[in-house]
Amino acid sequence: GRRERDLSLLPLLLLLLSFFRARNAKPPPPHKQPHKPPHRTAMEAAINTLVGQFKTFAGGDGRGDTLSRDEFRSLVSSQLPTFVKNSSDPAAVDQLMSSLDENNDGELTFLEFWQLIGRLASKQAGFS
């Protein structure tokens, strides 16, 4: 009688117990996405490329913040062979470097180098 009735309620009691446990349980933490850097635009990628190439060539003599004459020659001849006239002629590249070297210290800072990029971009776009 009564024992059988109590046992027949057991599945219902277990179901109710699991329902209340689930209802009162804390929700599982949201799945965290690994942090992805934002997608770079074409212009941002171009700037990163220019800065990266400057640093790569500037590091040749141990000083990574300026381009020596040899580093500038190497950069121009390998990276700008069609944009810089006579890029394979050391005398022509030296003359170009002198025109960019505002403080006449025989090396180019990034800002001095950036003048060349501006000139080349203007010429390429037909602005000058």
Side-chain angles (χ1 to χ4, degrees):
R2 180 180 170 140
R3 185 171 165 89
E4 289 174 0
R5 188 171 29 118
D6 289 346
L7 286 177
S8 69
L9 293 176
L10 189 59
L12 179 61
L13 288 173
L14 290 174
L15 180 65
L16 286 171
L17 182 61
S18 66
F19 170 76
F20 284 112
R21 277 190 182 154
R23 190 166 171 230
N24 293 328
K26 293 180 183 175
H31 178 67
K32 289 192 175 187
Q33 295 286 333
H35 180 68
K36 281 177 41 178
H39 176 71
R40 286 201 174 99
T41 65
M43 192 172 292
E44 290 168 337
I47 290 171
N48 278 347
T49 298
L50 289 164
V51 170
Q53 288 299 300
F54 179 88
K55 287 181 175 182
T56 296
F57 283 86
D61 65 358
R63 292 194 53 197
D65 58 342
T66 59
L67 290 169
S68 67
R69 191 163 301 283
D70 287 340
E71 291 167 340
F72 182 68
R73 284 180 186 163
S74 179
L75 184 150
V76 169
S77 65
S78 68
Q79 300 299 307
L80 300 167
T82 58
F83 278 31
V84 173
K85 188 177 178 181
N86 301 321
S87 63
S88 60
D89 176 6
V93 175
D94 288 351
Q95 186 175 1
L96 173 61
M97 181 171 174
S98 295
S99 75
L100 299 169
D101 187 9
E102 292 179 338
N103 62 357
N104 297 312
D105 65 353
E107 296 189 330
L108 295 181
T109 65
F110 185 76
L111 290 178
E112 289 171 329
F113 168 73
W114 193 253
Q115 292 179 81
L116 173 63
I117 301 304
R119 287 183 199 172
L120 296 174
S122 291
K123 187 174 181 181
Q124 187 67 17
F127 296 135
S128 61

